[in-house]
């Protein structure tokens, strides 16, 4: 009955158990490789999807007019949801509309709430005009049955507020109309409302800060401009900067903003790619050396198997089974650890990277999981090829004679 248990798998498992430290070290190396392949792959494709998403929604031919010196703050609002409040005079709106080549214009007002009892939570509020808007509504399409009206708000995906609940800002209640789908950018931590409601809240904020020389009804924060197809975006941008008024203006070209973000992301993506490649080659080399060294120690063991009737094919299967068990354990553990880190802490990773970050669709995740597992699993069996070739060259009688004492 005992012979029924002497399968290749059984012997391979026992051989690995006899060398626990070596087995643990090699399995840990494969674990690290699988963790890097799967975890790094998820981050890699999340960044790509985030960049593609923001490029599709913001567009490359749009301009954003802001007060001079506030370009970084606007990018912080869009990309990270950094709470900011700043103003420009509303009279600029009419002057922009008179410039030839301007297709659409839509104002926005940014109001940062306070970390005090007057507000349910400190967030960025964006007031927009549902009639003219073309930069926020694309994110809402298919998500909301209706756009917000007076006293209604739409919250970002990372804000814990269900439709029908009420949030207070500057002691004013607002009903949550809905939650936005995840965008991978600052909109996930932003609250959206009509520009009229935002102006009322700004008036309350100005009163709270005892600022009396400004009227909220005459203030905006930014103006989004769509350029007509046959006009040069750079030329229109120069004309917008030259508009005279109470405030000096600066113009953000969304294409340039996206290019800057992509440049930062490309460096990170390159680091992930080459790190995974280097680790894969390192794991293959280390396993190759270890299997090669231990093979010489086990020549007598293999020779005894041969004298007991084991064929060379059986010994090949034994070597590959040991390597496969190591790889299977390491690859499974690495992918599990990566999943436990990447998915539950998805929002934290997104905020830490400060680059648009949006998890890939589940079919792509499944393909990435399979590819990562295959890539990590393959290093073990591949590393045994050299040892298997040496086994084929070894003669049983010679090996036993050389190991006689």
């Amino acid at each position: 009955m005992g012979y029924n248990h002497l399968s290749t798998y059984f012997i391979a498992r026992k051989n690995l158990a006899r060398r626990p430290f070596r087995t643990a070290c090699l399995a840990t190396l494969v674990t690290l490789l699988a963790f890097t392949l799967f975890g790094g792959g998820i981050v890699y494709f999340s960044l790509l999807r985030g960049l593609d998403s923001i490029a599709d929604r913001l567009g490359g031919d749009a301009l954003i007019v802001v007060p001079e010196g506030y370009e970084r703050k606007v990018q912080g609002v869009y990309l990270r949801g950094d709470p900011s409040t700043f103003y420009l005079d509303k009279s600029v709106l009419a002057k922009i509309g008179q410039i030839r080549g301007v297709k659409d214009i839509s104002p926005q007002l940014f109001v940062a709430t306070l970390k005090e009892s007057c507000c349910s939570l400190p967030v960025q509020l964006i007031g927009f005009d549902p009639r003219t808007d073309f930069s926020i509504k694309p994110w809402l399409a298919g998500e909301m049955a209706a756009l917000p009206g007076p006293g209604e708000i739409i919250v970002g995906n990372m804000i814990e507020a269900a439709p029908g609940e009420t949030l207070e800002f500057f002691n004013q209640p607002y009903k949550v109309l809905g939650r936005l789908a995840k965008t991978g950018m600052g909109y996930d931590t932003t609250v959206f409302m009509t520009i009229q409601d935002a102006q009322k809240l700004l008036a309350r904020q100005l009163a709270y800060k005892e600022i009396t020389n400004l009227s909220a009804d005459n203030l905006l924060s930014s103006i989004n401009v769509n350029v007509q197809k046959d006009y040069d975006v750079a030329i229109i941008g120069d004309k917008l900067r030259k508009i005279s008024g109470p405030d000096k203006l600066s113009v953000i070209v969304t294409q340039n903003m996206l290019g800057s973000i992509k440049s930062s992301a490309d460096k990170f993506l390159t680091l992930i790619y080459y790190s995974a490649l280097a680790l894969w080659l390192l794991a293959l080399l280390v396993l190759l050396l270890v299997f090669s060294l231990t093979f010489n120690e086990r020549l007598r063991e293999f020779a005894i198997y041969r004298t007991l009737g084991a064929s060379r094919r059986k010994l090949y299967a034994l070597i590959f089974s040991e390597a496969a068990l190591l790889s299977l354990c390491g690859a499974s553990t690495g992918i599990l650890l990566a999943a436990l880190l990447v998915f539950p802490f998805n929002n934290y990773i997104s905020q830490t990277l400060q680059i648009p970050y949006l998890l890939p669709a589940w079919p792509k995740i499944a393909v990435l999981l399979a590819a990562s597992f295959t890539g990590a699993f393959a290093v073990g069996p591949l590393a045994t090829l050299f040892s298997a070739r040496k086994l084929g060259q070894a003669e049983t009688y010679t090996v036993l004679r050389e190991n006689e004492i």
Side-chain angles (χ1 to χ4, degrees), residues 87 114 170 199-216:
Y87 333 104
L114 305 177
F170 299 100
Q199 287 173 331
K200 291 176 183 177
L201 288 183
L202 179 59
R204 288 173 174 265
Q205 186 187 70
L206 294 174
Y208 184 87
K209 294 182 177 181
E210 298 182 351
I211 298 175
T212 58
N213 62 331
L214 294 174
S215 172

Side-chain angles (χ1 to χ4, degrees), residues 43-335:
V43 174
Y44 183 94
F45 286 107
S46 295
L47 289 175
L48 286 181
R49 190 182 182 200
L51 290 171
D52 289 343
S53 179
I54 189 174
D56 289 343
R57 303 300 174 92
L58 288 182
D61 294 331
L63 303 170
I64 306 172
V65 180
V66 298
E68 189 178 54
Y70 285 89
E71 298 88 347
R72 288 189 176 274
K73 286 188 176 292
V74 172
Q75 292 188 30
V77 171
Y78 280 132
L79 303 179
R80 299 182 298 275
D82 298 339
S84 297
T85 302
F86 50 89
Y87 333 104
L88 58 81
D89 195 273
K90 189 177 180 179
S91 60
V92 175
L93 197 61
K95 296 178 181 179
I96 292 176
Q98 295 173 0
I99 296 177
R100 181 176 295 180
V102 170
K103 179 182 178 183
D104 304 302
I105 55 175
S106 185
Q108 292 183 358
L109 180 60
F110 302 156
V111 182
T113 64
L114 305 177
K115 297 181 180 179
E116 299 187 25
S117 59
C118 66
C119 302
S120 296
L121 65 164
V123 293
Q124 176 68 61
L125 303 177
I126 294 184
F128 69 104
D129 186 349
R131 298 170 305 160
T132 61
D133 177 78
F134 54 87
S135 63
I136 295 176
K137 282 196 293 187
W139 297 97
L140 306 180
E143 304 296 334
M144 307 292 146
L147 294 170
E152 295 177 332
I153 57 175
I154 293 172
V155 298
N157 186 265
M158 292 171 60
I159 296 177
E160 297 297 330
E165 291 186 12
T166 299
L167 296 179
E168 281 195 6
F169 300 110
F170 299 100
N171 297 319
Q172 187 71 24
Y174 289 90
K175 181 182 178 182
V176 177
L177 184 65
R179 290 180 69 191
L180 202 60
K182 189 166 180 61
T183 66
M185 53 187 286
Y187 284 177
D188 290 332
T189 56
T190 299
V191 173
F192 303 92
M193 58 178 55
T194 66
I195 196 166
Q196 291 79 13
D197 279 347
Q199 287 173 331
K200 291 176 183 177
L201 288 183
L202 179 59
R204 288 173 174 265
Q205 186 187 70
L206 294 174
Y208 184 87
K209 294 182 177 181
E210 298 182 351
I211 298 175
T212 58
N213 62 331
L214 294 174
S215 172
D217 292 339
N218 296 324
L219 299 178
L220 302 172
S221 295
S222 68
I223 301 170
N224 291 338
V225 178
N226 241 345
V227 178
Q228 291 181 15
K229 202 167 188 178
D230 298 331
Y231 285 81
D232 188 287
V233 174
I235 293 176
I236 300 298
D238 288 338
K239 291 181 179 180
L240 292 173
R241 292 184 187 93
K242 294 175 182 177
I243 290 177
S244 60
D247 306 294
K248 288 187 176 181
L249 302 179
S250 184
V251 177
I252 299 172
V253 181
T254 56
Q255 191 172 18
N256 295 344
M257 182 172 70
L258 293 173
S260 175
I261 301 166
K262 193 175 186 303
S263 176
S264 300
D266 282 344
K267 295 176 183 177
F268 193 77
L269 294 175
T270 302
L271 177 63
I272 293 175
Y273 176 82
Y274 284 108
S275 296
L277 180 61
L279 187 58
W280 193 90
L281 293 174
L282 177 64
L284 180 62
L285 178 62
V286 170
L287 289 172
L288 179 65
L289 290 173
V290 170
F291 283 132
S292 180
L293 291 172
T294 57
F295 176 82
N296 293 327
E297 300 172 4
R298 300 178 66 188
L299 278 176
R300 181 176 175 80
E301 174 191 336
F302 294 138
I304 292 173
Y305 285 144
R306 289 283 284 143
T307 60
L308 293 175
S311 64
R312 277 199 172 91
R313 180 173 293 182
K314 182 75 171 180
L315 296 184
Y316 293 153
L318 177 61
I319 295 173
F320 280 107
S321 295
E322 291 179 12
L325 284 173
L326 270 173
S327 292
L328 178 63
C329 179
S332 301
T333 304
I335 287 177

